[in-house]
Amino acid sequence: MRKPVIAGNWKMNKTKLESIKLVTELRNLIPRTTGVDIIIAPPFTALTYVFEAISGSSVTLAAQNCHWEDSGAYTGEVSPPMLKDLGCSYVILGHSERRQYFGETDSTVNKKLKSVLRSDLIPIMCVGESLEERRQEKTFSVVEGQMKKGLAGLTSADFSEIIIAYEPIWAIGTGETATPAQAQEVHQLIRKILGELFGKNKAVQTRIQYGGSVKPENIDELMAQEDIDGALVGGASLEARTFAKIINFKPGD
Ligand code: PEP
């Protein structure tokens, strides 16, 4: 069975002290061991402080982005070995906000993904369609393209784990969630594509998160879907009690 994985993407929020406060509140609200993998992705500036604050808890650390080179003349960038050095276990890649505002493409996501794997970090690769694309019934072709281009050149031997996050752009930060059925059909497609690319075993093992206005009120129903293995949570991860409720979702039968 795939272990559920709930990640909180804080985006460009929280100072050093605010980060320590939030994560300390959170660790007091969740059991030391849970049946859920818990990931926090604070901004780069708070990684070290959050890493210290989660020590001895079941919470692990992610970065929200990285560069594809290990080092060099790339002013303002941060590399996978640097993130590993700070205690990160995961890196979010290709978030729609990075694609929309910072010109990220499937090709840069692909380079970053390979670089993250080389540094022994686990990529969380985001895919998802815009409202316009959904209206034009292009959801499947858009997600398929992002999957195939983002994962191009990889074989199943190249990685032990990759997490995919399906995040319909129209549901991010809008309060509008994909219905569990809408999410499930795309998750099913993603698993099918993983099977074509990497074989059945990898497809069955790979965890696929849903992201887009996840909250305590909708997490149970989403997690009850066969191919939904977790959530990538934005806004609702910025408040400890709310995020803890999501982590403590009620698994279906
Ligand atoms: C996200 O940023 O990945 C996200 C899903 O945001 P929100 O939960 O706020 O919609």
Side-chain angles (χ1 to χ4, degrees):
M1 246 343 261
R2 295 180 292 270
K3 189 175 181 189
V5 55
I6 307 281
N9 172 16
W10 292 1
K11 312 192 185 192
M12 196 174 70
N13 291 294
K14 304 292 174 190
T15 61
K16 172 178 88 173
L17 289 180
E18 288 166 351
S19 299
I20 296 169
K21 182 168 175 284
L22 173 54
V23 83
T24 307
E25 277 169 16
L26 179 70
R27 65 173 288 175
N28 291 333
L29 291 168
I30 51 175
R32 189 181 271 264
T33 54
T34 68
V36 176
D37 282 340
I38 305 163
I39 305 171
I40 298 284
F44 288 136
T45 47
L47 284 171
T48 302
Y49 306 103
V50 171
F51 183 65
E52 280 168 19
I54 59 178
S55 155
S57 78
S58 53
V59 182
T60 51
L61 195 62
Q64 300 174 16
N65 177 36
C66 67
H67 195 265
W68 56 81
E69 293 290 350
D70 287 358
S71 61
Y74 298 99
T75 302
E77 292 292 320
V78 175
S79 75
M82 292 169 181
L83 297 172
K84 180 89 183 168
D85 188 41
L86 292 187
C88 287
S89 306
Y90 304 84
V91 185
I92 298 172
L93 295 176
H95 191 282
S96 61
E97 288 152 14
R98 296 226 45 97
R99 294 178 191 256
Q100 188 179 349
Y101 304 127
F102 303 102
E104 281 209 9
T105 62
D106 293 321
S107 151
T108 54
V109 171
N110 180 253
K111 287 203 268 187
K112 291 180 180 196
L113 191 126
K114 288 173 179 161
S115 157
V116 162
L117 290 172
R118 273 198 307 276
S119 282
D120 223 4
L121 290 157
I122 299 173
I124 302 177
M125 186 179 89
C126 302
V127 297
E129 82 288 1
S130 67
L131 186 57
E132 195 52 32
E133 288 161 343
R134 177 159 281 267
R135 284 197 179 128
Q136 292 171 2
E137 299 185 359
K138 289 186 184 156
T139 299
F140 279 26
S141 60
V142 167
V143 170
E144 182 168 3
Q146 290 170 334
M147 286 288 295
K148 291 194 169 159
K149 291 179 202 151
L151 298 170
L154 281 185
T155 69
S156 61
D158 294 330
F159 62 94
S160 59
E161 186 176 6
I162 283 177
I163 296 175
I164 307 294
Y166 169 57
E167 300 209 305
I169 299 169
W170 48 272
I172 296 180
T174 58
E176 196 171 331
T177 324
T179 64
Q182 280 174 325
Q184 167 58 26
E185 68 171 3
V186 182
H187 281 233
Q188 196 175 28
L189 169 82
I190 290 172
R191 204 173 303 287
K192 181 170 150 281
I193 296 165
L194 288 167
E196 286 164 21
L197 295 173
F198 305 120
K200 185 151 190 280
N201 282 352
K202 270 275 172 8
V204 169
Q205 287 161 11
T206 299
R207 295 182 290 180
I208 308 172
Q209 297 177 310
Y210 168 79
S213 299
V214 172
K215 36 191 181 252
E217 295 73 30
N218 57 28
I219 185 70
D220 293 350
E221 221 189 331
L222 287 162
M223 291 302 291
Q225 303 302 307
E226 190 179 338
D227 289 296
I228 299 185
D229 309 309
L232 180 53
V233 184
S237 70
L238 293 172
E239 208 275 312
R241 275 187 190 285
T242 310
F243 192 49
K245 281 187 195 155
I246 293 173
I247 292 166
N248 294 324
F249 72 94
K250 291 195 188 47
D253 296 328

